[in-house]
Amino acid sequence: MVSIETLRARLDALEAAMAEGVSEVRFGDRRVVYRSYDDMRRAAGDLSRRIAEAEGRARRPSRLLTRTRKGL
């Protein structure tokens, strides 16, 4: 498992690249080239989720199912 510090460093590098409008991110000796800004947003969301899970503050599912019936 990857440490929280590593995940945060990757998220910081990704957010910096997104702010600069660059599609290439370097994590130490590793280089990642994203195809689109959407790919970068999804990767940032995934990193944020993994950090939250590692810290024990994972989000609850955002789906709510309701069922109604008309009449008696």
Side-chain angles (χ1 to χ4, degrees):
M1 184 171 166
V2 180
S3 71
I4 294 175
E5 292 79 23
T6 302
L7 292 173
R8 282 192 181 130
R10 289 180 182 177
L11 181 58
D12 290 344
L14 181 56
E15 287 176 339
M18 290 169 69
E20 294 174 13
V22 180
S23 64
E24 180 179 316
V25 180
R26 292 190 183 272
F27 308 114
D29 62 343
R30 194 169 162 203
R31 176 179 160 248
V32 178
V33 178
Y34 292 93
R35 290 181 288 180
S36 68
Y37 186 78
D38 268 353
D39 286 346
M40 295 175 86
R41 274 194 13 220
R42 278 192 290 273
D46 180 61
L47 286 168
S48 295
R49 181 189 53 78
R50 291 171 61 190
I51 291 168
E53 286 176 357
E55 291 177 338
R57 54 179 180 88
R59 269 185 17 184
R60 292 182 181 171
S62 61
R63 189 175 295 179
L64 177 63
L65 179 64
T66 60
R67 196 183 271 205
T68 62
R69 222 166 60 172
K70 185 177 179 181
L72 299 171

